[in-house]
Amino acid sequence: MGVEKVVELNNRAVALLDGKHFQKAIQTASFALKQFQGHRRENPEAVAVRQNACIDQSMLARNVGGHSDDDVIEEFIYHNGIILPSTVSDCALITSALVFNTALAHQLLASAMDPQDNLCHSLLRKAKALYKVAYNEQVEGILIKFAIINNIGVIYRWLGEEDELARECFDFLVSLTMSLAHTGSADLAQHMCGFWANVEITNKKLAPAA
């Protein structure tokens, strides 16, 4: 399967995410990822293709920050899939987007389930593992890393036994936000400003009893 078809499948998975068809999104994104992995094995010379493109451009193009539809945000998940342009050929960028979208589909499906359900926990662990793979892809971008760390932090909290790890995630994002402000890139952080709700929730949960 060629790159163009993989990109088409990726963007179809994003449309399914937007429509809250999470199970179908998992199937489509997973299939696209499997096909692209096969393409990379069969075309090793393509792995070296780099466009110096920043995945943040694809995220900013949607001009959304992952807010819920409610006026009051109780918890922030970056829930926007990454759409790829039809002209993309950077293997690391494509892989990162495919893995991120697959992880997001697993997390959003889990969010619609009973949190005590074993399947819910299985989906969350799968999402966490995929997010870590996406994070380790050598692709340029601040927003992609911000979104991954935020969503992993939420998963840690949902799993209920890793609250300290959740706080580490959100503390890192606080530091990153301050760094962006000092370097004149605070506008990037604005697309993820909802994460402050997660900071507050986590700090309250871990605060010592009075």
Side-chain angles (χ1 to χ4, degrees), residues 67-75 193-194 197:
H67 291 265
S68 67
D69 296 329
D70 301 324
D71 293 333
V72 178
I73 301 174
E74 295 183 354
E75 186 167 54
C193 62

Side-chain angles (χ1 to χ4, degrees), residues 34-48:
K34 182 178 180 180
Q35 293 300 310
F36 190 63
Q37 289 171 333
H39 172 79
R40 292 181 68 166
R41 286 193 298 270
E42 295 170 5
N43 301 274
E45 72 283 355
V47 177

Side-chain angles (χ1 to χ4, degrees), residues 111-156:
S111 73
M113 300 176 67
D114 180 346
Q116 304 304 318
D117 192 319
N118 288 335
L119 178 57
C120 175
H121 284 202
S122 177
L123 288 166
L124 290 174
R125 292 189 182 95
K126 178 68 172 180
K128 182 176 64 173
L130 287 167
Y131 279 134
K132 290 180 178 180
V133 172
Y135 188 90
N136 289 329
E137 280 291 327
Q138 295 186 2
V139 61
E140 180 184 351
I142 294 175
L143 284 182
I144 178 67
K145 291 179 172 57
F146 210 119
I148 288 171
I149 294 171
N150 176 83
N151 286 6
I152 287 179
V154 172
I155 289 173
Y156 279 141

Side-chain angles (χ1 to χ4, degrees), residues 17-172:
L17 283 173
D18 290 345
K20 302 187 185 304
H21 303 296
F22 303 134
Q23 186 65 60
K24 290 183 178 179
I26 289 175
Q27 294 169 353
T28 303
S30 297
F31 179 71
L33 179 58
K34 182 178 180 180
Q35 293 300 310
F36 190 63
Q37 289 171 333
H39 172 79
R40 292 181 68 166
R41 286 193 298 270
E42 295 170 5
N43 301 274
E45 72 283 355
V47 177
V49 175
R50 300 304 299 267
Q51 296 175 304
N52 292 322
C54 179
I55 199 168
D56 288 355
Q57 295 168 0
S58 296
M59 299 175 75
L60 288 169
R62 302 197 72 187
N63 196 32
V64 285
H67 291 265
S68 67
D69 296 329
D70 301 324
D71 293 333
V72 178
I73 301 174
E74 295 183 354
E75 186 167 54
F76 176 81
I77 305 171
Y78 187 89
H79 63 238
N80 299 293
I82 300 172
I83 294 176
L84 292 171
S86 59
T87 56
V88 68
S89 59
D90 187 315
C91 280
L93 193 154
I94 295 170
T95 300
S96 187
L98 286 169
V99 177
F100 178 87
N101 290 338
T102 307
L104 181 60
H106 280 78
Q107 183 176 12
L108 293 179
L109 178 59
S111 73
M113 300 176 67
D114 180 346
Q116 304 304 318
D117 192 319
N118 288 335
L119 178 57
C120 175
H121 284 202
S122 177
L123 288 166
L124 290 174
R125 292 189 182 95
K126 178 68 172 180
K128 182 176 64 173
L130 287 167
Y131 279 134
K132 290 180 178 180
V133 172
Y135 188 90
N136 289 329
E137 280 291 327
Q138 295 186 2
V139 61
E140 180 184 351
I142 294 175
L143 284 182
I144 178 67
K145 291 179 172 57
F146 210 119
I148 288 171
I149 294 171
N150 176 83
N151 286 6
I152 287 179
V154 172
I155 289 173
Y156 279 141
R157 192 168 62 231
W158 282 357
L159 289 174
E161 299 177 353
E162 300 172 305
D163 290 327
E164 285 292 346
L165 291 175
R167 181 152 69 180
E168 286 181 17
C169 289
F170 300 130
D171 284 350
F172 176 80

